[in-house]
Amino acid sequence: GAVVSQHPSWVICKSGTSVKIECRSLDFQATTMFWYRQFPKQSLMLMATSNEGSKATYEQGVEKDKFLINHASLTLSTLTVTSAHPEDSSFYICSAAHGSADTQYFGPGTRLTVL
Amino acid sequence: EDQVTQSPEALRLQEGESSSLNCSYTVSGLRGLFWYRQDPGKGPEFLFTLYSAGEEKEKERLKATLTKKESFLHITAPKPEDSATYLCAVTGPYAGNNRKLIWGLGTSLAVNP
């Protein structure tokens, strides 16, 4: 149980284009979903927290107009990287938590490369 | 300041050589401590959640313990497939739906056959 999927697993795009990443909880209802990015050899950096049906809460320094997050249902959240630039290249990982539980279950990650 | 420190940074073991990984934390009112395993190019895989000092949890060759200042992840008779980065994280007494995890930098474990 507690399976989270992400799609796509990797994506290459041109500078200036937008990319959408999907995160789905497959066998539970995710009241809260989280989006992280991870650079090589570094720990996970929380970008934003989203609750179903509410606006996402972004961490300090994360541009909300660049990283659009939608959590329209209890099983799906999307992250759209708008007008992507090479510095946005990274490993993006989502996680999901059920109800008031603190344990987060992570997706397999999406490798974004912006040329 | 809330903080999580993991040691050692890297550990190399021979297959069958048991050892322990340490996670020291400083947080005002621990709500939960989490252990994850992360393989290269993958998202973290959940291992354990511990809530109170004295609590222990086991899964196959892994056993996690918790005190008021630190947690240990004991690995008994490891196999090469246990090679991964082990991450520790905590949550403090945040209100409402704020369940932000405070992460350590991880211990990179390599088990040689």
Side-chain angles (χ1 to χ4, degrees), chain A:
Chain A
V3 179
V4 177
S5 69
Q6 271 184 252
H7 178 79
S9 56
W10 59 270
V11 57
I12 301 172
C13 69
K14 291 183 178 180
S15 185
T17 61
S18 295
V19 174
K20 180 184 284 189
I21 303 170
E22 290 188 350
C23 176
R24 294 182 185 271
S25 57
L26 300 184
D27 54 0
F28 67 102
Q29 293 187 325
T31 315
T32 307
M33 285 184 163
F34 306 80
W35 286 95
Y36 295 83
R37 65 188 295 183
Q38 187 176 33
F39 293 102
K41 306 289 185 183
Q42 294 188 24
S43 192
L44 289 83
M45 184 189 81
L46 180 66
M47 298 175 66
T49 302
S50 73
N51 294 298
E52 185 264 338
S54 302
K55 288 185 178 180
T57 301
Y58 290 81
E59 294 298 301
Q60 191 172 10
V62 178
E63 299 176 60
K64 60 182 180 182
D65 294 331
K66 180 168 188 62
F67 298 100
L68 301 179
I69 291 171
N70 183 278
H71 190 171
S73 77
L74 285 172
T75 59
L76 173 65
S77 177
T78 59
L79 168 67
T80 301
V81 183
T82 62
S83 187
H85 291 285
E87 57 265 30
D88 298 323
S89 298
S90 189
F91 191 51
Y92 292 87
I93 314 173
C94 73
S95 69
H98 174 61
S100 60
D102 289 324
T103 300
Q104 294 181 28
Y105 299 94
F106 286 81
T110 297
R111 172 74 57 194
L112 170 63
T113 301
V114 184
L115 302 177

Side-chain angles (χ1 to χ4, degrees), chain B residues 8 12 16 24 34 66 109:
Chain B
R12 186 175 293 276
S24 298
F34 309 85
L66 180 65
L109 173 66

